[in-house]
Amino acid sequence: MLRYALHRQGFTHTYQSNGNGMSVLSVSTDLTVWCRNGSFVWHEDDFLITHPSDDPDGAIRLIMRHHRTPERPDDDGLSPETPCD
């Protein structure tokens, strides 16, 4: 869900891995979001941010405060299709 919401905001080069009861979404070189125990979790500066995973749009608003412009790495054509539940 979060991955698709990020894609709608222009963050189209995301990479995701799932296992051991959590999902990890690499959004950019300086932003990784974990989805575990019903929450999205990421670091902003020296703070650990958590947000309920049932509100991906709210998480996007928080992420966009510090990451307004999507990173544009070389397009390798690869894009995993597993959403963060």
Side-chain angles (χ1 to χ4, degrees):
M1 292 181 173
L2 179 65
R3 182 173 172 268
Y4 297 124
L6 283 164
H7 279 212
R8 288 191 301 270
Q9 295 298 321
F11 291 88
T12 57
H13 292 86
T14 59
Y15 302 92
Q16 186 161 345
S17 178
N18 302 302
N20 298 325
M22 76 173 175
S23 180
V24 179
L25 180 63
S26 177
V27 179
S28 68
T29 57
D30 61 345
L31 177 62
T32 299
V33 179
W34 292 267
C35 183
R36 61 178 174 222
N37 300 326
S39 294
F40 296 122
V41 180
W42 67 93
H43 292 273
E44 285 181 11
D45 301 319
D46 293 329
F47 298 98
L48 181 67
I49 309 298
T50 62
H51 191 80
S53 62
D54 63 356
D55 181 23
D57 291 325
I60 293 298
R61 284 191 293 276
L62 293 173
I63 290 169
M64 294 295 289
R65 292 181 310 175
H66 292 279
H67 303 275
R68 299 183 206 287
T69 306
E71 188 174 285
R72 300 286 182 197
D74 293 335
D75 187 7
D76 61 6
L78 300 176
S79 181
E81 293 298 325
T82 308
C84 180
D85 298 325

